[in-house]
Amino acid sequence: MRLDRRNIRLSELQSANDDSRRSSTQPAAEPSSAASFATQSDSETPPNAKDLEYVPPDGGYGWVCVLCVFLVNTHAWGLNFAYGVFLDYFLAENLYPGATALDYALIGGLSVSMSLVVTPVINISTRKFGTRATLTIGLVLMTMSLIGASFARKTWHLYLSQGVCFGWGLGFLYVGSANIIPQWFSTKRSLANGIAASGAGFGGLIYSLSSSALLQKAGPPTTFRVLAICQFVAQGIAIALMKSRNEKQQPNHDAFNYRLLGRFEVWLLVGWGCLSELGYTVLLFSLPNYARSVGLTAHQGSIVVSLLNLSLFLARPMVGYTSDTLGRINNAFLTTGVCGIICLVIWIFAKSFGLLCFFALLAGTVCGTFWATVAPVIADVAGLSEVPSTLSIILVCMVLPTTFAEAIGLALRRPNGDIYLDAQVFAGCMFLAASLCNLLLRGWQIGKAKAETSEKRERECEDIEDGVDTHVQPQSLATGNDNRAERVGVAVKRLFELERV
């Protein structure tokens, strides 16, 4: 339910109660009575009052913040997306004695999983030191990781630099900036978030091509140092210009809010994130080496990955726009499912350079839906003030899948023939399973909205007709657990109803 509609309902209810009291010669109710009733009856767990009081400006300086987050995603996630180029180079060249394909896959997995495991620490840092200080910590860590990787001579050097330290920096930059855009936008929230998230695809495009060229001409040490300087300058400017509205919106930056673990819808969000990331990581990191396995060159493989990132860059704003138009959960369900179908129907049969480029362009439009829409979806499902805490739970639960996703992809390779067939089927099935979680979440959200609307109308009618004080009596709240159990049961029945959620 949008904030403007909720405010209209609050004013209508208060006016009706005042008229009822004047007609019965009773003293007028305090203005807080109606607001208290509406706030408590809006759901079985009363929503945070901060969400009712705070109204985002829906633009203004928020668009500058969108550009800043776009730059952060360009250079943070863009570098991570380019790891597929490094992976292909490491597999082809024997640079680090004793290193295996599993080692390189785990290093890539660590760069993502370490960014997620530090999420509770990032929330504490944001609460104590502020958003800008938290982002600066991430910038320093990422720069140190790239400089450290340039001096790596053994495999464990890469584990610590390009794996662990890079992941920490990525986490501080991504999670630290994730809650900024929802604070500035309401009706355009998904569009703004999609534009900012498209920076990851733009960065992946740039860094994939530049890293491939630099690795071939200058080698890893020079490549890492050039990348370190580029990202430090660009992200430093973005962090200096970025502004949060924490002092006005006051989000919940608890390190780990265990109460959210008791909510069925939060576990559906966790399932969506874990399953889609398994498919996403296998697709993103395996694509360059898959290109070589079907007879293409390293340069052609880098072009394929670049096209995938170009598609991510161009499509994410459109994904954000359609999310605001069709409904954020609806859009997540459709795009995630389509990605699974594309992997199973097209990627398996893409043996030529042209067809593989076509697949990359098509898959890029939908494969990154989770990262482009997760914050707006959380805001709709859990509430705006719970975005940091809910995101913290989801990202921590994604640590294991992201760590071993590419290792699973490489382990599924066959010794000969169509060596990536099993990995391709695995990636497609993971996207389809993630889409199923969205479908269940959709049914839950529709049932919840209808139940809340029905309960609210019944209580309003009873209170207005009887002239009763609109404060909810304790026993009226005792049905919360019953309503929650009932909604879980009817969620499946609501799966295919034509509703915008």
Side-chain angles (χ1 to χ4, degrees), residues 117-147:
V117 76
V118 295
T119 304
V121 179
I122 297 168
N123 284 337
I124 294 173
S125 174
T126 304
R127 185 174 68 245
K128 290 189 175 182
F129 306 114
T131 299
R132 183 170 286 113
T134 300
L135 294 173
T136 302
I137 293 172
L139 178 61
V140 171
L141 287 170
M142 182 165 287
T143 305
M144 289 173 55
S145 72
L146 294 171
I147 296 297

Side-chain angles (χ1 to χ4, degrees), residues 104-126:
Y104 296 132
L106 288 176
I107 290 169
L110 282 174
S111 67
V112 179
S113 64
M114 288 297 102
S115 70
L116 308 181
V117 76
V118 295
T119 304
V121 179
I122 297 168
N123 284 337
I124 294 173
S125 174
T126 304

Side-chain angles (χ1 to χ4, degrees), residues 353-382:
F353 180 63
L355 187 55
L356 196 56
C357 288
F358 172 73
F359 164 75
L361 287 170
L362 198 59
T365 61
V366 289
C367 69
T369 298
F370 173 79
W371 297 108
T373 61
V374 59
V377 169
I378 291 174
D380 285 351
V381 173

Side-chain angles (χ1 to χ4, degrees), residues 317-331:
M318 293 186 288
V319 169
Y321 177 77
T322 55
S323 292
D324 289 329
T325 305
L326 301 177
R328 287 150 190 160
I329 300 177
N330 289 341
N331 189 74

Side-chain angles (χ1 to χ4, degrees), residues 210-493:
S210 59
S211 297
S212 178
L214 281 170
L215 284 170
Q216 298 298 328
K217 294 180 180 180
T222 301
T223 301
F224 282 124
R225 290 163 196 162
V226 171
L227 298 182
I229 295 172
C230 291
Q231 63 85 30
F232 181 83
V233 174
Q235 293 196 91
I237 295 173
I239 292 170
L241 295 175
M242 202 177 301
K243 290 183 181 179
S244 71
R245 294 174 67 85
N246 290 339
E247 70 283 353
K248 296 182 179 180
Q249 194 255 326
Q250 297 180 358
N252 182 5
H253 282 292
D254 289 343
F256 205 88
N257 188 352
Y258 293 97
R259 293 177 309 223
L260 294 171
L261 293 174
R263 297 176 62 171
F264 175 67
E265 61 271 35
V266 171
W267 283 108
L268 291 176
L269 290 171
V270 170
W272 173 39
C274 291
L275 294 169
S276 63
E277 191 62 16
L278 282 169
Y280 183 59
T281 303
V282 170
L283 169 61
L284 188 65
F285 289 169
S286 298
L287 205 52
N289 193 249
Y290 171 77
R292 282 205 182 192
S293 73
V294 294
L296 303 181
T297 65
H299 178 65
Q300 288 176 318
S302 66
I303 291 176
V304 171
V305 176
S306 299
L307 289 176
L308 177 73
N309 286 302
L310 174 64
S311 185
L312 281 168
F313 164 59
L314 296 176
R316 284 190 174 182
M318 293 186 288
V319 169
Y321 177 77
T322 55
S323 292
D324 289 329
T325 305
L326 301 177
R328 287 150 190 160
I329 300 177
N330 289 341
N331 189 74
F333 158 64
L334 292 173
T335 54
T336 306
V338 167
C339 187
I341 295 173
I342 290 173
C343 289
L344 295 175
V345 174
I346 300 179
W347 188 18
I348 292 177
F349 304 101
K351 308 297 182 183
S352 65
F353 180 63
L355 187 55
L356 196 56
C357 288
F358 172 73
F359 164 75
L361 287 170
L362 198 59
T365 61
V366 289
C367 69
T369 298
F370 173 79
W371 297 108
T373 61
V374 59
V377 169
I378 291 174
D380 285 351
V381 173
L384 181 59
S385 63
E386 293 292 346
V387 169
S389 295
T390 308
L391 185 61
S392 175
I393 289 175
I394 295 172
L395 297 184
V396 169
C397 291
M398 289 169 59
V399 167
L400 288 178
T402 54
T403 300
F404 298 104
E406 181 54 18
I408 294 172
L410 290 180
L412 289 174
R413 291 191 306 175
R414 297 179 178 181
N416 48 56
D418 198 352
I419 64 174
Y420 270 97
L421 178 60
D422 295 336
Q424 292 167 322
V425 173
F426 174 79
C429 290
M430 290 301 100
F431 280 117
L432 291 177
S435 180
L436 178 60
C437 290
N438 286 131
L439 183 61
L440 293 173
L441 181 63
R442 182 181 185 276
W444 165 268
Q445 195 74 353
I446 292 174
K448 175 184 175 183
K450 290 191 174 183
E452 287 176 355
T453 301
S454 177
E455 293 168 8
K456 188 174 180 180
R457 286 177 179 174
E458 290 177 1
R459 290 175 181 173
E460 288 174 5
C461 292
E462 291 175 358
D463 290 338
I464 292 174
E465 289 176 359
D466 300 337
V468 179
D469 188 8
T470 56
H471 282 93
V472 178
Q473 302 300 322
Q475 57 267 29
S476 66
L477 293 176
T479 60
N481 292 331
D482 295 337
N483 291 335
R484 177 172 292 276
E486 181 180 352
R487 287 169 193 165
V488 173
V490 302
V492 177
K493 299 179 181 179

